[in-house]
């Protein structure tokens, strides 16, 4: 793993260390949220994605909508392409599933 990928995992753990997934597949409903981000990351590697910005966006794809982390911080710490991908993957205000 690259230093930026390690930095991304450290960030999501720091921002949401005790958050649980809303729709956990575990019987007790207690799956830590960052495991979802790790699973998305692993799936992209399995499917052959190797571009660092894509892998970073997989890890960080919920940061803007679920934390106070800003697009500017994302761009500064992970680069403009990663920030753009994350912004494109983020829910727009008023959108609910």
């Amino acid at each position: 793993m690259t230093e930026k990928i390690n930095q991304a995992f450290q960030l999501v753990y720091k921002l949401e260390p005790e958050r649980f997934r809303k729709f956990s597949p575990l019987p007790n409903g207690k799956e830590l949220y960052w495991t979802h981000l790790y699973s998305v990351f692993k799936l992209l590697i399995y499917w052959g994605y190797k571009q660092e910005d894509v892998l970073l966006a997989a890890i960080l794809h919920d940061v803007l909508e679920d934390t106070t982390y800003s697009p500017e911080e994302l761009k500064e710490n992970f680069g403009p392409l990663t920030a753009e991908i994350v912004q494109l993957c983020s829910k727009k205000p008023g959108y609910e599933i």
Side-chain angles (χ1 to χ4, degrees), residues 16-34:
E16 305 190 85
E18 300 297 325
R19 181 176 168 212
F20 293 101
R21 289 192 66 190
K22 187 186 278 187
F23 303 107
S24 174
L26 298 180
N28 67 359
K30 299 257 182 180
E31 179 180 16
L32 288 169
Y33 187 73
W34 63 265

Side-chain angles (χ1 to χ4, degrees), residues 24-72:
S24 174
L26 298 180
N28 67 359
K30 299 257 182 180
E31 179 180 16
L32 288 169
Y33 187 73
W34 63 265
T35 61
H36 159 67
L37 306 172
Y38 182 67
S39 295
V40 173
F41 169 77
K42 284 187 351 185
L43 277 173
L44 289 178
I45 289 174
Y46 176 78
W47 290 331
Y49 288 89
K50 295 178 181 166
Q51 186 178 6
E52 184 180 54
D53 290 304
V54 172
L55 297 175
L56 285 167
I59 300 163
L60 300 165
H61 73 266
D62 284 333
V63 165
L64 296 179
E65 61 193 59
D66 293 342
T67 73
T68 58
Y69 208 72
S70 72
E72 293 76 23

